[in-house]
Amino acid sequence: METDGIARRALAAAETRSGVTVRTLHDLAELRDAQEIFDSTWPMSEGGSNLPANLFRALVHAGAYSCAAYDGDRPVGATVAFLGRDDGQIILHSHMAAVLQDHRNRSIGTAMKCHQRLWALDNGIGVVSWTFDPLVRRNLRLNMLKLGAEVRGYERNFYGRMDDDYEFVDESDRVFAWWVVDSERANAAALGQLRADEPGDAARVIEIPEDIVALRKVDLAASLRWRARVREQMETALADGYRVTGVTPEGNYVMEKS
């Protein structure tokens, strides 16, 4: 089966599984649906919006991508991404993706990613990239196993202080998802063929907490120790020529020599 067909079937299956319909956004009313989801997910500590309406409209008019997931007529998830460049290659950088609290854990994020992949394929874009917190286990599993993305690099405090959360005292370390949307790996993920693996003898395993978000609420000091430990181990492994190649059954990083 060709990549386009696999991507379309994966989107249809994800929509059915999550009970939503995902569609691309264009006009101001639709963009406000997405804007409200972003701002309710990450309320700004000083008021205002994560993505002002005029800027959002300009981005989409200039070729950026945005979608929303609808449960019936209600918008319950949204994504925005813009075009970028990496070594001369045009890529799509996915900047924000959010799902309303009462609709989480229903695979709506996966459905939006499947829609994003198909949009990239339809528009001749070979790579979608995004950042994620290296301590969030569910995102590691989603990105590597359900989507078939690679994990690249490590940047300390990538965004600086996160103004949407005045109580967040941790630093915004990030790793980068690099999703080659027409790759065999992406197709295998769409077909449900990627699995967690036990690491080989020469691999390094970097353990991460089961649920860093929950841990931060009950033991902030412990969560900060996790940040420092994973940062040191990941940066050391990358400097030694290792790269992330997989996920253990427990949900930890597997790193092997490039």
Side-chain angles (χ1 to χ4, degrees), residues 46-60:
E46 301 297 331
S49 175
N50 286 275
L51 191 55
N54 59 340
L55 175 59
F56 200 176
R57 173 68 164 161
L59 285 170
V60 170

Side-chain angles (χ1 to χ4, degrees), residues 6-248:
I6 293 173
R8 292 184 188 281
R9 288 185 61 181
L11 172 59
E15 288 180 320
T16 298
R17 187 168 60 250
S18 58
V20 299
T21 300
V22 185
R23 64 174 185 259
T24 309
L25 307 181
H26 300 285
D27 63 37
L28 279 172
E30 293 174 328
L31 296 179
R32 288 191 189 99
D33 288 343
Q35 185 185 33
E36 290 174 3
I37 290 169
F38 297 144
D39 290 341
S40 65
T41 302
W42 302 292
M44 302 295 286
S45 58
E46 301 297 331
S49 175
N50 286 275
L51 191 55
N54 59 340
L55 175 59
F56 200 176
R57 173 68 164 161
L59 285 170
V60 170
H61 179 73
Y65 162 88
S66 186
C67 77
Y70 290 86
D71 185 351
D73 294 329
R74 182 190 179 195
V76 297
T79 300
V80 62
F82 50 81
L83 300 179
R85 189 182 298 272
D86 183 86
D87 289 335
Q89 177 185 11
I90 298 296
I91 66 171
L92 184 68
H93 183 74
S94 187
H95 179 54
M96 288 192 291
V99 176
L100 295 181
Q101 180 70 39
D102 60 350
H103 278 69
R104 291 175 189 169
N105 302 314
R106 282 179 40 182
S107 298
I108 294 172
T110 302
M112 291 194 297
K113 278 296 179 190
C114 288
H115 185 276
Q116 189 176 65
R117 181 193 183 199
L118 189 58
W119 188 92
L121 288 167
D122 287 345
N123 285 275
I125 299 170
V127 172
V128 179
S129 70
W130 61 95
T131 66
F132 68 98
D133 186 334
L135 298 182
V136 180
R137 181 173 281 182
R138 66 177 180 270
N139 285 349
L140 176 62
R141 284 177 165 143
L142 167 66
N143 296 336
M144 292 204 72
L145 301 180
K146 291 186 179 181
L147 303 179
E150 302 172 41
V151 175
R152 296 186 172 190
Y154 191 103
E155 290 283 345
R156 295 189 181 203
N157 205 23
F158 183 70
Y159 295 109
R161 177 178 172 80
M162 304 292 282
D163 291 334
D164 58 284
D165 189 345
Y166 61 89
E167 294 181 344
F168 187 69
V169 298
D170 198 355
E171 294 188 305
S172 56
D173 290 18
R174 292 293 184 268
V175 289
F176 302 88
W178 187 262
W179 196 18
V180 182
V181 292
D182 62 349
S183 66
E184 292 184 8
R185 180 176 174 82
N187 283 341
L191 294 170
Q193 297 172 350
L194 296 187
R195 298 287 185 272
D197 294 313
E198 293 291 348
D201 293 338
R204 294 186 187 179
V205 174
I206 298 181
E207 185 179 356
I208 57 177
E210 182 175 351
D211 188 341
I212 189 64
V213 176
L215 181 62
R216 286 188 184 120
K217 295 177 181 178
V218 298
D219 193 341
L220 179 60
S223 74
L224 295 177
R225 289 194 295 271
W226 272 108
R227 171 73 69 207
R229 184 183 309 127
V230 171
R231 174 190 283 177
E232 178 184 6
Q233 292 177 351
M234 184 76 76
E235 289 182 337
T236 298
L238 290 169
D240 290 343
Y242 285 76
R243 65 183 182 89
V244 178
T245 57
V247 184
T248 70

